[in-house]
Short mmCIF file of all heavy atoms in Angstrom, two decimals:
data_model
loop_
_atom_site.label_atom_id
_atom_site.label_comp_id
_atom_site.label_asym_id
_atom_site.label_seq_id
_atom_site.Cartn_x
_atom_site.Cartn_y
_atom_site.Cartn_z
N THR U 39 12.69 25.81 -32.20
CA THR U 39 12.20 24.49 -32.61
C THR U 39 10.88 24.57 -33.38
O THR U 39 10.32 23.54 -33.76
CB THR U 39 11.98 23.60 -31.37
OG1 THR U 39 11.01 24.22 -30.50
CG2 THR U 39 13.28 23.40 -30.61
N LEU U 40 10.39 25.79 -33.63
CA LEU U 40 9.08 25.98 -34.25
C LEU U 40 8.90 25.19 -35.55
O LEU U 40 7.88 24.51 -35.73
CB LEU U 40 8.81 27.47 -34.48
CG LEU U 40 7.46 27.82 -35.11
CD1 LEU U 40 6.32 27.35 -34.22
CD2 LEU U 40 7.36 29.33 -35.35
N PRO U 41 9.85 25.25 -36.51
CA PRO U 41 9.64 24.51 -37.76
C PRO U 41 9.45 23.01 -37.55
O PRO U 41 8.64 22.39 -38.24
CB PRO U 41 10.93 24.79 -38.56
CG PRO U 41 11.50 26.02 -37.97
CD PRO U 41 11.13 25.97 -36.52
N PHE U 42 10.16 22.45 -36.58
CA PHE U 42 10.10 21.01 -36.37
C PHE U 42 8.85 20.60 -35.60
O PHE U 42 8.29 19.53 -35.83
CB PHE U 42 11.37 20.55 -35.65
CG PHE U 42 12.62 21.07 -36.31
CD1 PHE U 42 13.34 22.11 -35.75
CD2 PHE U 42 13.04 20.55 -37.53
CE1 PHE U 42 14.47 22.61 -36.37
CE2 PHE U 42 14.17 21.04 -38.16
CZ PHE U 42 14.88 22.07 -37.59
N VAL U 43 8.39 21.48 -34.69
CA VAL U 43 7.12 21.22 -33.99
C VAL U 43 5.97 21.27 -34.99
O VAL U 43 5.10 20.39 -35.00
CB VAL U 43 6.90 22.26 -32.87
CG1 VAL U 43 5.51 22.10 -32.26
CG2 VAL U 43 7.96 22.10 -31.77
N LEU U 44 5.97 22.31 -35.84
CA LEU U 44 4.93 22.41 -36.87
C LEU U 44 5.00 21.24 -37.84
O LEU U 44 3.97 20.71 -38.27
CB LEU U 44 5.09 23.73 -37.65
CG LEU U 44 4.81 25.02 -36.88
CD1 LEU U 44 5.11 26.23 -37.75
CD2 LEU U 44 3.37 25.07 -36.40
N ALA U 45 6.23 20.82 -38.17
CA ALA U 45 6.41 19.69 -39.10
C ALA U 45 5.83 18.40 -38.52
O ALA U 45 5.20 17.62 -39.24
CB ALA U 45 7.89 19.52 -39.44
N LEU U 46 6.05 18.17 -37.22
CA LEU U 46 5.49 16.98 -36.58
C LEU U 46 3.96 16.99 -36.62
O LEU U 46 3.33 15.97 -36.89
CB LEU U 46 5.98 16.88 -35.14
CG LEU U 46 7.36 16.25 -34.92
CD1 LEU U 46 7.76 16.40 -33.46
CD2 LEU U 46 7.35 14.78 -35.32
N ILE U 47 3.38 18.17 -36.35
CA ILE U 47 1.92 18.29 -36.38
C ILE U 47 1.39 18.04 -37.79
O ILE U 47 0.43 17.30 -38.00
CB ILE U 47 1.48 19.68 -35.87
CG1 ILE U 47 1.86 19.86 -34.40
CG2 ILE U 47 -0.02 19.88 -36.06
CD1 ILE U 47 1.66 21.26 -33.87
N CYS U 48 2.04 18.68 -38.77
CA CYS U 48 1.62 18.51 -40.17
C CYS U 48 1.79 17.06 -40.62
O CYS U 48 0.92 16.52 -41.32
CB CYS U 48 2.43 19.44 -41.08
SG CYS U 48 2.12 21.19 -40.82
N ALA U 49 2.91 16.44 -40.24
CA ALA U 49 3.15 15.04 -40.62
C ALA U 49 2.09 14.13 -40.03
O ALA U 49 1.64 13.17 -40.69
CB ALA U 49 4.54 14.62 -40.17
N TYR U 50 1.68 14.41 -38.81
CA TYR U 50 0.63 13.60 -38.17
C TYR U 50 -0.68 13.74 -38.94
O TYR U 50 -1.41 12.75 -39.14
CB TYR U 50 0.45 14.03 -36.72
CG TYR U 50 -0.66 13.29 -36.01
CD1 TYR U 50 -0.46 12.00 -35.53
CD2 TYR U 50 -1.90 13.89 -35.83
CE1 TYR U 50 -1.49 11.31 -34.89
CE2 TYR U 50 -2.93 13.21 -35.20
CZ TYR U 50 -2.71 11.93 -34.72
OH TYR U 50 -3.74 11.26 -34.10
N LEU U 51 -0.99 14.96 -39.41
CA LEU U 51 -2.21 15.19 -40.16
C LEU U 51 -2.17 14.53 -41.55
O LEU U 51 -3.21 14.12 -42.08
CB LEU U 51 -2.46 16.70 -40.33
CG LEU U 51 -2.74 17.50 -39.05
CD1 LEU U 51 -2.81 18.98 -39.37
CD2 LEU U 51 -4.04 17.04 -38.39
N LEU U 52 -0.96 14.44 -42.11
CA LEU U 52 -0.82 13.93 -43.48
C LEU U 52 -0.55 12.44 -43.56
O LEU U 52 -0.49 11.89 -44.67
CB LEU U 52 0.33 14.68 -44.19
CG LEU U 52 0.13 16.19 -44.43
CD1 LEU U 52 1.37 16.79 -45.02
CD2 LEU U 52 -1.06 16.42 -45.35
N ARG U 53 -0.40 11.79 -42.42
CA ARG U 53 0.00 10.39 -42.47
C ARG U 53 -1.05 9.51 -43.14
O ARG U 53 -0.70 8.61 -43.92
CB ARG U 53 0.33 9.88 -41.06
CG ARG U 53 -0.87 9.53 -40.20
CD ARG U 53 -0.49 9.33 -38.75
NE ARG U 53 -1.58 8.73 -38.00
CZ ARG U 53 -2.69 9.36 -37.62
NH1 ARG U 53 -2.86 10.64 -37.97
NH2 ARG U 53 -3.62 8.74 -36.92
N ARG U 54 -2.33 9.76 -42.88
CA ARG U 54 -3.38 8.93 -43.48
C ARG U 54 -3.53 9.16 -44.98
O ARG U 54 -3.62 8.19 -45.75
CB ARG U 54 -4.70 9.15 -42.74
CG ARG U 54 -4.71 8.54 -41.35
CD ARG U 54 -6.07 8.61 -40.71
NE ARG U 54 -6.07 7.98 -39.39
CZ ARG U 54 -7.12 7.92 -38.59
NH1 ARG U 54 -8.28 8.45 -38.98
NH2 ARG U 54 -7.04 7.34 -37.40
N PRO U 55 -3.59 10.44 -45.44
CA PRO U 55 -3.63 10.64 -46.91
C PRO U 55 -2.42 10.03 -47.61
O PRO U 55 -2.55 9.49 -48.71
CB PRO U 55 -3.64 12.17 -47.05
CG PRO U 55 -4.19 12.66 -45.77
CD PRO U 55 -3.74 11.70 -44.72
N THR U 56 -1.24 10.12 -46.97
CA THR U 56 -0.04 9.56 -47.57
C THR U 56 -0.13 8.04 -47.66
O THR U 56 0.20 7.43 -48.69
CB THR U 56 1.20 9.97 -46.76
OG1 THR U 56 1.26 11.39 -46.66
CG2 THR U 56 2.48 9.46 -47.43
N ARG U 57 -0.58 7.41 -46.57
CA ARG U 57 -0.75 5.95 -46.59
C ARG U 57 -1.80 5.52 -47.60
O ARG U 57 -1.66 4.47 -48.24
CB ARG U 57 -1.14 5.46 -45.19
CG ARG U 57 -0.01 5.48 -44.19
CD ARG U 57 -0.48 5.03 -42.83
NE ARG U 57 0.60 5.07 -41.85
CZ ARG U 57 0.44 4.84 -40.55
NH1 ARG U 57 -0.75 4.56 -40.07
NH2 ARG U 57 1.47 4.89 -39.72
N TYR U 58 -2.83 6.35 -47.78
CA TYR U 58 -3.86 6.04 -48.77
C TYR U 58 -3.27 6.02 -50.18
O TYR U 58 -3.56 5.11 -50.97
CB TYR U 58 -4.98 7.07 -48.69
CG TYR U 58 -6.05 6.88 -49.73
CD1 TYR U 58 -7.06 5.93 -49.56
CD2 TYR U 58 -6.06 7.66 -50.89
CE1 TYR U 58 -8.04 5.75 -50.52
CE2 TYR U 58 -7.04 7.48 -51.86
CZ TYR U 58 -8.03 6.53 -51.67
OH TYR U 58 -9.00 6.34 -52.63
N LEU U 59 -2.43 7.02 -50.49
CA LEU U 59 -1.79 7.06 -51.82
C LEU U 59 -0.86 5.87 -52.01
O LEU U 59 -0.80 5.29 -53.10
CB LEU U 59 -1.01 8.37 -51.98
CG LEU U 59 -1.84 9.66 -52.07
CD1 LEU U 59 -0.92 10.87 -52.17
CD2 LEU U 59 -2.78 9.62 -53.26
N ILE U 60 -0.15 5.51 -50.95
CA ILE U 60 0.78 4.37 -51.04
C ILE U 60 0.02 3.06 -51.28
O ILE U 60 0.39 2.27 -52.16
CB ILE U 60 1.64 4.27 -49.77
CG1 ILE U 60 2.58 5.48 -49.67
CG2 ILE U 60 2.46 2.99 -49.76
CD1 ILE U 60 3.32 5.57 -48.35
N ASN U 61 -1.05 2.85 -50.53
CA ASN U 61 -1.79 1.59 -50.62
C ASN U 61 -2.70 1.53 -51.85
O ASN U 61 -2.82 0.47 -52.48
CB ASN U 61 -2.62 1.38 -49.36
CG ASN U 61 -1.76 1.25 -48.12
OD1 ASN U 61 -0.64 0.75 -48.18
ND2 ASN U 61 -2.26 1.72 -46.99
N LYS U 62 -3.34 2.66 -52.18
CA LYS U 62 -4.32 2.67 -53.27
C LYS U 62 -3.65 2.70 -54.64
O LYS U 62 -4.06 1.99 -55.56
CB LYS U 62 -5.25 3.88 -53.12
CG LYS U 62 -6.36 3.96 -54.14
CD LYS U 62 -7.42 2.91 -53.90
CE LYS U 62 -8.61 3.10 -54.85
NZ LYS U 62 -9.63 2.05 -54.65
N PHE U 63 -2.64 3.55 -54.80
CA PHE U 63 -2.02 3.75 -56.11
C PHE U 63 -0.61 3.15 -56.20
O PHE U 63 0.09 3.38 -57.18
CB PHE U 63 -1.96 5.26 -56.43
CG PHE U 63 -3.31 5.90 -56.48
CD1 PHE U 63 -3.79 6.64 -55.40
CD2 PHE U 63 -4.13 5.75 -57.59
CE1 PHE U 63 -5.03 7.24 -55.44
CE2 PHE U 63 -5.38 6.35 -57.64
CZ PHE U 63 -5.84 7.09 -56.56
N LYS U 64 -0.23 2.41 -55.16
CA LYS U 64 1.07 1.74 -55.14
C LYS U 64 2.23 2.71 -55.38
O LYS U 64 3.20 2.40 -56.08
CB LYS U 64 1.12 0.63 -56.21
CG LYS U 64 -0.03 -0.38 -56.13
CD LYS U 64 -0.10 -1.04 -54.75
CE LYS U 64 -1.27 -2.03 -54.69
NZ LYS U 64 -1.42 -2.63 -53.34
N MET U 65 2.10 3.90 -54.80
CA MET U 65 3.16 4.89 -54.93
C MET U 65 4.30 4.59 -53.97
O MET U 65 4.10 3.95 -52.93
CB MET U 65 2.63 6.30 -54.61
CG MET U 65 1.78 6.92 -55.68
SD MET U 65 1.39 8.65 -55.24
CE MET U 65 0.36 9.10 -56.62
N LYS U 66 5.45 5.09 -54.32
CA LYS U 66 6.56 5.05 -53.37
C LYS U 66 6.28 6.04 -52.25
O LYS U 66 5.64 7.07 -52.46
CB LYS U 66 7.87 5.39 -54.07
CG LYS U 66 8.34 4.33 -55.05
CD LYS U 66 9.69 4.70 -55.63
CE LYS U 66 10.19 3.61 -56.59
NZ LYS U 66 11.52 3.96 -57.16
#
Side-chain angles (χ1 to χ4, degrees):
T39 60
L40 181 61
F42 310 105
V43 173
L44 292 176
L46 277 173
I47 296 171
C48 294
Y50 177 79
L51 295 174
L52 295 175
R53 78 192 192 286
R54 288 187 178 179
T56 304
R57 287 178 181 174
Y58 177 80
L59 291 178
I60 293 172
N61 297 328
K62 183 72 174 178
F63 299 101
K64 307 303 179 184
M65 285 187 182
K66 291 184 178 180

